[in-house]
Amino acid sequence: MTPPADAAALLRRLHHDRAPGDALVLPGPWDAASARIFAEAGFPALATPSMGVSLSLGYADGACPAEEMFAAVARIVRAVEVPVTADIERGYGLPPAEIAQRLLGTGAVGCNLEDSVSGRLVETGRQAEFLAAVREALGPGPFLNARVDVYLCGADRPLEEALERCRAYVAAGADGVYPLGAPPGELTALARELEVPVNALARPGGPGPAELAAAGATRVTFGGGLAMRAMEQVRGWAAGLRDD
Protein backbone atom coordinates (compact mmCIF):
# COMPACT_ATOMS: atom_id res chain seq x y z
CA MET A 1 0.00 0.00 0.00
CA THR A 2 1.25 3.50 -0.84
CA PRO A 3 2.09 5.47 2.34
CA PRO A 4 -0.83 7.83 3.16
CA ALA A 5 1.29 10.98 2.99
CA ASP A 6 2.52 10.05 -0.49
CA ALA A 7 -0.99 9.12 -1.63
CA ALA A 8 -2.39 12.41 -0.31
CA ALA A 9 0.31 14.41 -2.08
CA LEU A 10 -0.36 12.53 -5.31
CA LEU A 11 -4.10 13.14 -5.08
CA ARG A 12 -3.46 16.87 -4.69
CA ARG A 13 -1.11 16.92 -7.68
CA LEU A 14 -3.69 15.10 -9.78
CA HIS A 15 -6.18 17.89 -9.06
CA HIS A 16 -3.84 20.79 -9.72
CA ASP A 17 -1.41 19.68 -12.44
CA ARG A 18 -3.98 19.79 -15.22
CA ALA A 19 -4.36 21.72 -18.44
CA PRO A 20 -7.63 23.63 -19.05
CA GLY A 21 -10.28 21.25 -20.33
CA ASP A 22 -8.52 18.20 -18.88
CA ALA A 23 -10.49 16.95 -15.89
CA LEU A 24 -9.41 14.33 -13.37
CA VAL A 25 -11.85 11.47 -13.97
CA LEU A 26 -12.44 9.41 -10.82
CA PRO A 27 -14.52 6.24 -11.16
CA GLY A 28 -16.57 5.22 -8.15
CA PRO A 29 -15.83 1.68 -6.91
CA TRP A 30 -18.42 0.09 -4.68
CA ASP A 31 -16.24 -2.77 -3.42
CA ALA A 32 -12.67 -4.06 -3.53
CA ALA A 33 -13.18 -6.03 -6.77
CA SER A 34 -14.54 -3.03 -8.71
CA ALA A 35 -11.73 -0.87 -7.27
CA ARG A 36 -9.12 -3.26 -8.67
CA ILE A 37 -10.81 -3.25 -12.07
CA PHE A 38 -10.74 0.56 -12.25
CA ALA A 39 -7.15 0.73 -11.03
CA GLU A 40 -6.03 -1.92 -13.51
CA ALA A 41 -7.73 0.09 -16.28
CA GLY A 42 -5.25 2.88 -15.55
CA PHE A 43 -7.21 5.40 -13.51
CA PRO A 44 -4.76 7.25 -11.23
CA ALA A 45 -7.17 7.66 -8.29
CA LEU A 46 -10.63 6.52 -7.21
CA ALA A 47 -13.61 8.12 -5.45
CA THR A 48 -15.94 5.84 -3.50
CA PRO A 49 -19.65 6.72 -3.82
CA SER A 50 -21.74 6.39 -0.67
CA MET A 51 -24.73 5.31 -2.74
CA GLY A 52 -22.87 2.54 -4.57
CA VAL A 53 -21.24 1.26 -1.40
CA SER A 54 -24.59 1.33 0.43
CA LEU A 55 -26.30 -0.66 -2.33
CA SER A 56 -23.48 -3.20 -2.39
CA LEU A 57 -23.97 -3.76 1.35
CA GLY A 58 -27.74 -4.17 1.05
CA TYR A 59 -28.79 -0.69 2.23
CA ALA A 60 -30.72 2.09 0.56
CA ASP A 61 -28.81 5.25 -0.27
CA GLY A 62 -28.20 7.14 2.96
CA ALA A 63 -29.10 4.20 5.22
CA CYS A 64 -25.69 2.53 5.60
CA PRO A 65 -24.35 2.63 9.18
CA ALA A 66 -21.10 4.52 9.64
CA GLU A 67 -19.21 1.43 10.80
CA GLU A 68 -20.05 -0.49 7.64
CA MET A 69 -19.29 2.44 5.35
CA PHE A 70 -15.85 3.07 6.83
CA ALA A 71 -15.10 -0.67 6.80
CA ALA A 72 -16.03 -0.87 3.11
CA VAL A 73 -13.81 2.12 2.31
CA ALA A 74 -10.93 0.44 4.14
CA ARG A 75 -11.35 -2.73 2.06
CA ILE A 76 -11.29 -0.66 -1.14
CA VAL A 77 -8.16 1.21 -0.05
CA ARG A 78 -6.38 -2.06 0.80
CA ALA A 79 -7.20 -3.51 -2.62
CA VAL A 80 -5.41 -0.86 -4.72
CA GLU A 81 -2.20 1.15 -4.88
CA VAL A 82 -3.80 4.37 -6.16
CA PRO A 83 -5.13 7.15 -3.88
CA VAL A 84 -8.74 6.80 -2.73
CA THR A 85 -11.08 9.57 -1.65
CA ALA A 86 -14.34 8.64 0.07
CA ASP A 87 -17.87 9.98 0.02
CA ILE A 88 -18.91 9.95 3.67
CA GLU A 89 -22.18 11.86 3.29
CA ARG A 90 -22.30 14.40 6.13
CA GLY A 91 -20.23 12.40 8.56
CA TYR A 92 -23.01 10.23 10.02
CA GLY A 93 -23.62 12.59 12.91
CA LEU A 94 -20.14 12.01 14.30
CA PRO A 95 -18.08 14.84 15.79
CA PRO A 96 -15.40 16.24 13.46
CA ALA A 97 -12.51 14.66 15.37
CA GLU A 98 -14.08 11.21 15.10
CA ILE A 99 -14.88 11.71 11.40
CA ALA A 100 -11.21 12.47 10.79
CA GLN A 101 -10.02 9.57 12.93
CA ARG A 102 -12.25 7.06 11.17
CA LEU A 103 -11.48 8.36 7.70
CA LEU A 104 -7.73 8.32 8.27
CA GLY A 105 -8.05 4.86 9.77
CA THR A 106 -9.36 3.54 6.44
CA GLY A 107 -6.29 4.78 4.56
CA ALA A 108 -8.38 7.12 2.40
CA VAL A 109 -6.67 10.43 1.62
CA GLY A 110 -9.69 12.59 0.88
CA CYS A 111 -13.41 12.86 1.45
CA ASN A 112 -16.64 14.47 0.33
CA LEU A 113 -18.86 16.12 2.92
CA GLU A 114 -22.29 17.37 1.87
CA ASP A 115 -24.26 20.37 3.11
CA SER A 116 -27.79 19.01 3.21
CA VAL A 117 -29.71 16.73 5.55
CA SER A 118 -32.90 14.93 4.46
CA GLY A 119 -33.21 17.18 1.43
CA ARG A 120 -32.73 20.45 3.34
CA LEU A 121 -29.71 22.69 3.15
CA VAL A 122 -27.68 23.26 6.30
CA GLU A 123 -27.20 26.94 7.09
CA THR A 124 -24.05 28.18 5.35
CA GLY A 125 -22.25 29.42 8.44
CA ARG A 126 -22.98 26.26 10.37
CA GLN A 127 -21.65 24.10 7.53
CA ALA A 128 -18.54 26.27 7.20
CA GLU A 129 -17.83 25.82 10.92
CA PHE A 130 -18.29 22.07 10.56
CA LEU A 131 -15.88 21.92 7.61
CA ALA A 132 -13.32 24.05 9.45
CA ALA A 133 -13.43 21.63 12.40
CA VAL A 134 -13.01 18.62 10.11
CA ARG A 135 -10.15 20.35 8.32
CA GLU A 136 -8.36 20.99 11.60
CA ALA A 137 -8.85 17.39 12.69
CA LEU A 138 -7.71 15.94 9.36
CA GLY A 139 -4.60 18.08 9.11
CA PRO A 140 -3.41 19.63 5.86
CA GLY A 141 -2.82 16.48 3.81
CA PRO A 142 -6.17 14.87 2.90
CA PHE A 143 -8.21 16.49 0.11
CA LEU A 144 -11.42 17.92 1.58
CA ASN A 145 -14.12 18.22 -1.09
CA ALA A 146 -17.15 20.28 -0.02
CA ARG A 147 -20.37 19.17 -1.70
CA VAL A 148 -22.82 22.00 -2.39
CA ASP A 149 -26.42 20.82 -2.70
CA VAL A 150 -28.24 23.98 -3.79
CA TYR A 151 -29.14 22.45 -7.17
CA LEU A 152 -30.26 19.24 -5.52
CA CYS A 153 -32.43 21.03 -2.95
CA GLY A 154 -34.11 23.53 -5.29
CA ALA A 155 -32.66 26.85 -4.11
CA ASP A 156 -34.34 29.96 -5.56
CA ARG A 157 -31.11 31.42 -7.00
CA PRO A 158 -28.86 28.37 -7.21
CA LEU A 159 -25.85 29.97 -8.90
CA GLU A 160 -25.77 32.89 -6.50
CA GLU A 161 -26.17 30.64 -3.47
CA ALA A 162 -23.68 28.09 -4.79
CA LEU A 163 -21.04 30.80 -5.16
CA GLU A 164 -21.73 32.08 -1.65
CA ARG A 165 -21.47 28.61 -0.16
CA CYS A 166 -18.40 27.63 -2.19
CA ARG A 167 -16.53 30.73 -1.06
CA ALA A 168 -17.47 30.14 2.58
CA TYR A 169 -16.40 26.52 2.43
CA VAL A 170 -13.07 27.33 0.76
CA ALA A 171 -12.43 29.96 3.43
CA ALA A 172 -13.14 27.25 6.02
CA GLY A 173 -10.45 25.00 4.55
CA ALA A 174 -12.08 23.02 1.74
CA ASP A 175 -9.65 22.09 -1.04
CA GLY A 176 -12.34 21.70 -3.69
CA VAL A 177 -16.07 22.16 -4.18
CA TYR A 178 -18.73 19.89 -5.64
CA PRO A 179 -21.85 21.77 -6.82
CA LEU A 180 -23.87 18.62 -7.41
CA GLY A 181 -26.11 18.91 -10.46
CA ALA A 182 -24.87 22.29 -11.70
CA PRO A 183 -25.69 22.61 -15.42
CA PRO A 184 -22.71 23.16 -17.73
CA GLY A 185 -23.31 26.90 -18.14
CA GLU A 186 -23.38 27.51 -14.40
CA LEU A 187 -20.48 25.12 -13.90
CA THR A 188 -18.48 27.43 -16.17
CA ALA A 189 -19.42 30.45 -14.07
CA LEU A 190 -18.46 28.67 -10.86
CA ALA A 191 -15.11 27.52 -12.25
CA ARG A 192 -14.37 31.04 -13.47
CA GLU A 193 -15.13 32.63 -10.10
CA LEU A 194 -13.43 30.09 -7.84
CA GLU A 195 -9.74 29.32 -7.43
CA VAL A 196 -10.11 25.71 -6.33
CA PRO A 197 -10.91 22.51 -8.25
CA VAL A 198 -14.59 22.17 -9.15
CA ASN A 199 -16.11 18.67 -9.16
CA ALA A 200 -18.91 17.80 -11.60
CA LEU A 201 -21.20 14.78 -11.66
CA ALA A 202 -21.43 12.71 -14.85
CA ARG A 203 -24.86 11.09 -15.06
CA PRO A 204 -26.15 8.52 -17.56
CA GLY A 205 -27.76 10.42 -20.43
CA GLY A 206 -26.19 13.71 -19.32
CA PRO A 207 -22.96 15.49 -20.23
CA GLY A 208 -19.98 13.17 -20.15
CA PRO A 209 -16.53 13.82 -18.70
CA ALA A 210 -15.22 15.59 -21.83
CA GLU A 211 -18.16 18.01 -21.96
CA LEU A 212 -17.99 18.69 -18.23
CA ALA A 213 -14.25 19.31 -18.48
CA ALA A 214 -14.83 21.74 -21.35
CA ALA A 215 -17.37 23.53 -19.15
CA GLY A 216 -14.72 24.07 -16.48
CA ALA A 217 -14.81 21.00 -14.25
CA THR A 218 -11.43 20.02 -12.80
CA ARG A 219 -12.73 16.71 -11.47
CA VAL A 220 -15.49 14.41 -12.71
CA THR A 221 -17.13 11.72 -10.61
CA PHE A 222 -20.10 9.42 -11.18
CA GLY A 223 -21.86 9.09 -7.84
CA GLY A 224 -23.57 5.73 -7.61
CA GLY A 225 -24.16 5.63 -11.36
CA LEU A 226 -21.48 3.07 -12.20
CA ALA A 227 -22.63 0.71 -9.44
CA MET A 228 -26.22 0.98 -10.63
CA ARG A 229 -25.18 0.24 -14.22
CA ALA A 230 -23.30 -2.84 -13.03
CA MET A 231 -26.33 -3.98 -11.06
CA GLU A 232 -28.54 -3.55 -14.12
CA GLN A 233 -26.19 -5.90 -15.97
CA VAL A 234 -26.50 -8.46 -13.19
CA ARG A 235 -30.29 -8.06 -13.24
CA GLY A 236 -30.28 -8.83 -16.94
CA TRP A 237 -28.09 -11.90 -16.43
CA ALA A 238 -30.38 -13.06 -13.63
CA ALA A 239 -33.45 -12.75 -15.86
CA GLY A 240 -31.69 -14.72 -18.59
CA LEU A 241 -30.70 -17.48 -16.19
CA ARG A 242 -34.24 -17.70 -14.86
CA ASP A 243 -35.71 -17.95 -18.36
CA ASP A 244 -33.28 -20.61 -19.62
Side-chain angles (χ1 to χ4, degrees):
M1 182 186 299
T2 304
D6 293 345
L10 175 56
L11 184 62
R12 287 182 173 277
R13 288 198 302 274
L14 289 169
H15 281 86
H16 291 284
D17 295 347
R18 313 205 71 79
D22 175 30
L24 174 62
V25 178
L26 299 178
W30 52 94
D31 60 11
S34 60
R36 282 186 173 167
I37 290 168
F38 290 132
E40 289 167 0
F43 289 97
L46 304 174
T48 71
S50 63
M51 179 188 208
V53 172
S54 295
L55 293 175
S56 77
L57 295 173
Y59 295 100
D61 184 26
C64 182
E67 292 76 11
E68 294 195 45
M69 181 63 70
F70 285 113
V73 171
R75 289 192 293 271
I76 288 168
V77 172
R78 285 198 301 268
V80 296
E81 291 294 325
V82 299
V84 175
T85 178
D87 177 0
I88 52 172
E89 301 179 3
R90 200 172 175 269
Y92 307 101
L94 301 171
E98 187 171 352
I99 291 171
Q101 179 184 25
R102 291 200 185 193
L103 181 75
L104 296 174
T106 68
V109 292
C111 68
N112 284 1
L113 286 168
E114 58 200 49
D115 66 351
S116 65
V117 177
S118 301
R120 298 183 62 129
L121 289 164
V122 176
E123 191 272 324
T124 303
R126 179 180 159 207
Q127 180 69 3
E129 290 176 0
F130 171 66
L131 291 172
V134 173
R135 170 86 281 165
E136 181 178 8
L138 283 174
F143 193 96
L144 179 56
N145 197 36
R147 203 178 92 177
V148 180
D149 286 351
V150 297
Y151 295 94
L152 186 66
C153 294
D156 292 335
R157 297 186 298 278
L159 177 58
E160 180 180 326
E161 184 162 351
L163 276 170
E164 176 189 346
R165 285 176 176 265
C166 286
R167 287 170 176 148
Y169 301 164
V170 171
D175 298 297
V177 292
Y178 182 13
L180 183 65
E186 298 196 5
L187 188 65
T188 299
L190 290 163
R192 185 175 57 243
E193 293 294 327
L194 300 167
E195 296 182 355
V196 297
V198 176
N199 189 161
L201 174 68
R203 288 177 166 147
E211 185 176 347
L212 293 169
T218 310
R219 161 173 160 166
V220 175
T221 52
F222 300 85
L226 299 179
M228 293 185 71
R229 287 167 65 182
M231 291 173 194
E232 283 300 317
Q233 289 278 359
V234 174
R235 188 171 287 112
W237 296 336
L241 292 170
R242 182 196 61 214
D243 296 338
D244 280 348

